[in-house]
Amino acid sequence: MEFGAMSKVFNTNRFPCFSPLPANHQRPSDRPSFYLYRSSMASSSLSRSGTNISFQKVVNNSKPAELRRESAEFELSNLTAISPLDGRYWNKVKELAPYTSEYALIYYRVLVEVQWLLKLSQIPEVEEVPSVSEDGRSYLQGLVDGFSLNDALEIKKIEKVTNHDVKAVEYFLKQKCQSHPEIAKVLEFFHFACTSEDINNLSHAMMLKDALENVIFPTIIDLIKEICNMAEENAHIPMLSRTHGQPATPTTLGKEMANFAYRLSEIRGKISQVEILGKLAGAVGNYNAHLVAYPDVDWPQIAEEFVTSLGLSFNPYVTQIESHDYMAALFDAICQFNNVLIDFDRDIWGYISLGYFKQITKAGEIGSSTMPHKVNPIDFENSEGNLGVANANLSHLSMKLPISRWQRDLTDSTVLRNLGLGLGHSLLAYKSTLQGIAKLQVNEARLHEDLDNCWEILAEPIQTVMRRYDVPEPYEKLKELTRGREVTKESIRKFIEGLELPKEAKTNLLKLTPHNYVGVAVKLAREVHRVVNLVDGKTVF
C-alpha cells in the first residue's frame, strides 16, 4: 500500500513559527541583573508560538556582571534558540522541518510501523494477521495522513514513561487502535520481530529521501539554472583572467560562470545516484526471531519487498543497524557540491571587489555601520560561512556513521538526530547565493578597462604563431618585450610588424586585441544548457 505525496501529510499549520519576545516586556536596566524563566509550563515544549517571558531581579548581586546570566532559564523563541537555524534563520529553512525535525522522525516511525502491520497481513503464513479490510486500511491510513503535532506530543508523553522513543510509538499505535474492532485483534503485531533500528533506519532513509527530493534538489536546480543564465547572458563579455592573481589569457564572464554550472550539475548527478538503503532484519541482521515464529516464511524476501515498497533500496547484509555507508557517500557528495559553491562564492566576491559586478541596492539597507558608501557582498559571505558549517557537520556524519562497534553501539543514534543540521546550513547557503546573484549587475566598463590596460597578454598568441613559422627564440623575444615593462597597443603592433611572418599570419596577429582574444569561450558559454542536466527537482534514487 502506497502513501501519497508528503504534501498530504504536512501543512504549515502544524509547524508554528517562532514568535518574538512579547511587545510589552520590560527591558532590564543596566544596573541590576535579571534572569528569564518559564512563566507557564502549560505550553508545549515543541511550540514556537505564545512564548511568555518574564523578568525578575536577582537578589544576590555580588557576582561579576559577566557571570550573572548563569542562572538564566529561557523559554524557546527565535531569540533564545541555541541553533540559528531554529532562530534567526528559521523562515529560510523551515521547509525542511516536515522532513528532518523530531516531529518528522516520529511521523516516519508511525508510517513504517503501520506499513509493516499491513505487510504482515499480506503474508499467507501469518494467519494470525488476516488481510485487513478496506475499513481497517482506511483507519490505519488515517493515523498516518492525519498525524499531527498533538499526536507527536502524545508519543513524547509516553516516552517519558518508557524512556524509549520507538517503543513509545508502538504503544501510541496500540492505544489508537484499541477502539477499532478489527485492528484491536492484532495489536501485538505492531513492531512484530522488529528491533528499534528496523524502524529507525527506514525512517531516517525516508526523511533524507523526501528532504532531498522536496527541498534540497529543487533549490539546487534553481541555483544551477541561475548560474547557467549568468553564463548565457554574459557569454560575449570579455574578461581578463587571473592565474596566480596575475593578468592572464582573456576569457569571457559567461564562460567562467559556465564552468561552475557544469561542475555543480555533475556533482548534483552524483548525489542523485546514491542509493538510499534500508533494512528490516531484526536484532542482528539474521531474522532470528522471525524464523522461530514463522519458520516457513522467506523473511529476507519479505523484508526486501517491504523496504522497496517504501521507495528505498534493500540492504541484505547488516548487523543490528543499516551500515550507513550510503549516508557517508551521500554526505560526501553534498560536501563536494558545497565546496564547488564555496569556490563560486569566493570568485564572485573577488569580481565584486574588482568592480566587475555592481550590486543593486535596496532602499533602507545598510552596508557598513560607519562607512555610508559601502555595499558589502554579504550574501556570498553568508553562503560561504554556512557552507563551511554544513560541511563540518556532514563530514563528521560521513566519517562517524559507518563505524559501529560489533553488532552495534548507540553512538550513531544521537548523531543521526543531526541529519537536518548539515542540510539546513546547506539550504541556507544556497538561498544566500541565489539572493546574491539576484543583486548582481555587470559593470562592462570596468571589465573593458582592465583589458585595455593589459596588452601584454597578447604575448602568448604572438609567440605561439612565431613557433609555427619557425621564428628563432619566440618565447625569449616576447619575454624581453613584456616582462617588467609597460606594454601598449602601439608597442605590440610595432613588434608584430617587425616579424618575418607570412602576410596573412601577420594580418591576423594585428587584428588581435585583449578583447577578442577569447578562444571559444563565447561558444562554450552559450552551449552550457546543452551539457548541464536541468531536469526538475524530483530525483528518482
Side-chain angles (χ1 to χ4, degrees):
M1 177 179 180
E2 294 184 357
F3 291 92
M6 291 299 103
S7 59
K8 283 200 311 183
V9 180
F10 300 111
N11 62 65
T12 54
N13 292 332
R14 296 182 189 151
F15 294 92
C17 296
F18 288 137
S19 63
L21 291 170
N24 62 347
H25 83 269
Q26 297 295 315
R27 183 180 299 275
S29 66
D30 292 333
R31 270 198 173 285
S33 59
F34 293 77
Y35 70 92
L36 303 180
Y37 74 102
R38 288 188 179 91
S39 60
S40 173
M41 296 303 293
S43 59
S44 157
S45 61
L46 293 181
S47 176
R48 304 258 171 81
S49 61
T51 302
N52 192 357
I53 299 180
S54 301
F55 292 92
Q56 288 190 351
K57 291 185 180 181
V58 177
V59 176
N60 185 352
N61 199 24
S62 60
K63 288 185 177 181
E66 64 272 17
L67 298 180
R68 292 176 196 156
R69 294 175 184 263
E70 285 184 348
S71 61
E73 186 178 352
F74 294 92
E75 180 155 329
L76 182 61
S77 77
N78 61 338
L79 293 179
T80 61
I82 293 174
S83 167
L85 293 181
D86 294 323
R88 181 179 182 89
Y89 302 124
W90 170 251
N91 284 331
K92 294 184 178 181
V93 300
K94 63 183 178 181
E95 61 202 283
L96 274 175
Y99 310 107
T100 61
S101 62
E102 183 165 12
Y103 169 89
L105 176 58
I106 297 171
Y107 161 78
Y108 283 102
R109 284 168 172 163
V110 168
L111 186 155
V112 173
E113 294 278 12
V114 167
Q115 285 284 66
W116 179 233
L117 179 66
L118 289 171
K119 179 63 178 178
L120 291 171
S121 74
Q122 297 167 1
I123 304 173
E125 293 86 348
V126 185
E127 298 175 356
E128 291 77 7
V129 187
S131 180
V132 180
S133 68
E134 187 63 32
D135 178 70
R137 284 179 171 272
S138 178
Y139 184 82
L140 291 171
Q141 176 78 53
L143 295 178
V144 177
D145 289 350
F147 192 76
S148 66
L149 278 178
N150 286 333
D151 291 328
L153 286 170
E154 184 62 32
I155 291 173
K156 294 297 291 183
K157 289 179 182 177
I158 299 172
E159 184 186 341
K160 288 181 179 180
V161 178
T162 63
N163 198 28
H164 196 289
D165 48 2
V166 177
K167 204 66 178 175
V169 171
E170 177 189 345
Y171 289 170
F172 167 82
L173 288 170
K174 288 179 177 179
Q175 289 176 9
K176 285 288 186 180
C177 293
Q178 282 177 349
S179 61
H180 192 279
E182 179 183 3
I183 308 301
K185 296 176 181 179
V186 293
L187 293 181
E188 291 306 322
F189 283 87
F190 278 117
H191 203 70
F192 176 79
C194 290
T195 183
S196 296
E197 272 307 297
D198 285 327
I199 308 303
N200 281 337
N201 89 95
L202 297 174
S203 298
H204 287 130
M206 286 190 287
M207 289 168 69
L208 276 175
K209 184 175 184 291
D210 290 343
L212 289 169
E213 290 189 349
N214 294 307
V215 181
I216 300 297
F217 272 119
T219 308
I220 283 177
I221 292 295
D222 288 344
L223 183 58
I224 297 174
K225 281 182 179 179
E226 285 303 313
I227 298 175
C228 276
N229 291 338
M230 291 178 71
E232 293 193 340
E233 291 168 4
N234 301 294
H236 63 289
I237 298 178
M239 184 180 82
L240 182 67
S241 290
R242 282 176 168 80
T243 58
H244 309 279
Q246 307 301 307
T249 302
T251 180
T252 72
L253 181 57
K255 164 56 172 40
E256 299 314 298
M257 300 302 103
N259 292 342
F260 285 108
Y262 178 75
R263 293 172 68 191
L264 293 170
S265 174
E266 287 295 293
I267 302 169
R268 188 203 72 89
K270 292 178 182 177
I271 297 171
S272 68
Q273 290 167 11
V274 175
E275 286 190 88
I276 308 296
L277 301 178
K279 72 98 179 179
L280 193 89
V284 293
N286 302 326
Y287 307 94
N288 305 56
H290 306 65
L291 202 60
V292 170
Y294 294 97
D296 297 328
V297 175
D298 185 352
W299 287 109
Q301 179 62 35
I302 293 296
E304 182 172 4
E305 293 172 2
F306 179 66
V307 170
T308 55
S309 75
L310 299 176
L312 308 172
S313 297
F314 179 62
N315 186 348
Y317 290 92
V318 296
T319 58
Q320 185 174 105
I321 66 171
E322 198 286 321
S323 59
H324 307 316
D325 294 331
Y326 83 83
M327 287 189 184
L330 176 65
F331 297 146
D332 283 343
I334 295 174
C335 282
Q336 186 183 2
F337 183 94
N338 290 352
N339 278 336
V340 173
L341 191 59
I342 288 174
D343 198 21
F344 174 83
D345 287 336
R346 289 179 178 177
D347 275 12
I348 297 295
W349 187 96
Y351 294 143
I352 292 172
S353 177
L354 291 170
Y356 290 178
F357 287 110
K358 296 178 180 178
Q359 296 179 94
I360 299 172
T361 57
K362 185 177 179 180
E365 284 191 350
I366 303 297
S368 165
S369 63
T370 187
M371 293 173 280
H373 68 283
K374 293 189 71 180
V375 182
N376 296 328
I378 58 173
D379 296 303
F380 299 102
E381 293 170 340
N382 284 344
S383 175
E384 179 183 341
N386 278 288
L387 290 168
V389 174
N391 281 5
N393 172 260
L394 294 171
S395 294
H396 175 68
L397 291 175
S398 72
M399 289 187 292
K400 188 274 154 296
L401 289 176
I403 301 170
S404 185
R405 296 173 183 86
W406 296 336
Q407 282 65 56
R408 90 139 318 167
D409 63 52
L410 202 63
T411 53
D412 67 321
S413 179
T414 188
V415 171
L416 282 166
R417 292 187 182 276
N418 293 277
L419 286 182
L421 186 59
L423 295 181
H425 282 283
S426 296
L427 178 64
L428 181 58
Y430 304 157
K431 289 186 175 182
S432 293
T433 297
L434 282 166
Q435 186 168 305
I437 289 173
K439 296 178 183 178
L440 294 178
Q441 192 173 54
V442 178
N443 185 0
E444 290 192 50
R446 182 70 186 87
L447 286 155
H448 282 264
E449 180 186 359
D450 264 5
L451 288 166
D452 283 336
N453 291 330
C454 285
W455 280 81
E456 63 268 22
I457 57 180
L458 296 183
E460 180 193 36
I462 295 170
Q463 64 97 11
T464 304
V465 173
M466 290 168 67
R467 287 175 186 273
R468 175 184 175 183
Y469 293 103
D470 203 25
V471 177
E473 299 183 326
Y475 182 88
E476 288 71 22
K477 286 183 170 67
L478 268 300
K479 176 181 174 182
E480 181 181 353
L481 173 70
T482 59
R483 188 173 294 189
R485 298 184 181 185
E486 182 183 0
V487 179
T488 64
K489 176 181 179 180
E490 290 72 25
S491 64
I492 284 287
R493 290 181 64 86
K494 183 178 179 181
F495 180 85
I496 294 172
E497 289 168 349
L499 293 174
E500 293 184 7
L501 292 172
K503 183 178 180 181
E504 182 180 1
K506 187 178 292 189
T507 300
N508 288 336
L509 284 178
L510 288 170
K511 290 179 182 178
L512 278 181
T513 73
H515 301 275
N516 62 24
Y517 177 48
V518 294
V520 296
V522 176
K523 180 175 184 292
L524 289 170
R526 285 177 175 164
E527 292 181 351
V528 67
H529 271 108
R530 184 176 61 81
V531 296
V532 167
N533 181 11
L534 286 178
V535 294
D536 60 29
K538 298 281 185 180
T539 303
V540 178
F541 289 88

